[in-house]
Each structure stands twice: as C-alpha cells, then as structure tokens.
Amino acid sequence: MVVLIVSPSPFLRKLIKYTIEGPNIFSLEAANSQEGLALYQTNPISLTIMDLPLAAQPALEGISQIMSLNNNAKIIVTGIYSQSASIAKALELGAMDFINKPFSQYEFRQRIYNILQGQIDREFF
C-alpha cells in the first residue's frame, strides 16, 4: 500500500512517514501539490495526506486535481483549527477527514486505519 504525503515541511513529512510506515505501508513524499499530483498520476496511491499550510490555496487546488483524476481518492488533510475556511473547503472538495496539528501518533494511525479499513490488516498498525 502506498501513501502519498504532501507538505512543504520536511519535518512534517518525516514525522508522518515515521508514524505510518510499516511492513506493507510505504510512503512517497512531495513538497507541494504539483509534485504530489505527478506522483499520484504515476503510482498506485491508496491514500493521500495533504498538509494545509497557512497559504492553503495550492493544497486546495491539489485536492481538486486529485479528485478530478479519481473521484474515489482517499485524502486526509492536516492543519490547524484556525484555518476553518480552508478545512471546510478541503472537505467540500472531497477530503475525507481533517487531523489537527499537533496530533498524537496513535490517533493519526487510528484515523488512517479507519479510512483504509478493509484494505490493510490491522496488525500493521
């Protein structure tokens, strides 16, 4: 299973990668939505984790583009509650969940499992 992590923050990408990777879960990383879209188009992505930085418009456009390629795409967004308008727009565009930063690694893994339920064996979390 391949998870695409899209964030301008190398630290956040590394943290998410560390949190989610396991024996059957691999990740690809992109620093922006354009890189993410290119990876999405050329890899069998099971889940996309899209960070909403303070300048959220490029991330929102990335969500829209991924959803136009695959209206069943599974997307989770991360951000901070004060970005309520961007969060609402991301969910409107098709994101399945929002995870507030900072997040607990346990909660993060559990929410990912909930979205991917049936595609992976729970033991890998």
Side-chain angles (χ1 to χ4, degrees):
M1 174 166 308
V2 180
V3 175
L4 175 60
I5 303 166
V6 182
S7 174
S9 167
F11 173 78
L12 183 60
R13 291 193 311 266
K14 187 174 188 171
L15 176 64
I16 292 172
K17 180 179 181 166
Y18 173 79
T19 300
I20 65 168
E21 280 196 341
N24 289 338
I25 300 173
F26 307 95
S27 65
L28 296 173
E29 298 179 40
N32 58 54
S33 59
Q34 291 141 338
E35 289 178 16
L37 186 61
L39 288 170
Y40 192 90
Q41 290 174 314
T42 57
N43 293 279
I45 304 297
S46 299
L47 172 69
T48 300
I49 301 170
M50 181 84 67
D51 184 36
L52 289 178
L54 293 178
Q57 191 57 37
L60 294 172
E61 289 170 7
I63 292 168
S64 179
Q65 292 170 334
I66 288 172
M67 293 306 294
S68 71
L69 291 172
N70 177 4
N71 62 356
N72 293 315
K74 292 177 171 67
I75 301 173
I76 295 175
V77 294
T78 63
I80 54 176
Y81 282 127
S82 64
Q83 298 173 281
S84 59
S86 295
I87 295 164
K89 184 65 176 174
L91 295 171
E92 179 183 306
L93 290 170
M96 300 178 83
D97 200 359
F98 165 75
I99 299 175
N100 188 53
K101 297 185 292 189
F103 50 81
S104 87
Q105 291 178 320
Y106 173 78
E107 178 189 4
F108 198 88
R109 280 191 298 263
Q110 187 60 45
R111 306 252 309 259
I112 289 171
Y113 170 76
N114 290 342
I115 287 182
L116 295 176
Q117 191 171 10
Q119 292 186 33
I120 57 174
D121 202 351
R122 189 178 184 111
E123 69 186 71
F124 296 119
F125 283 102

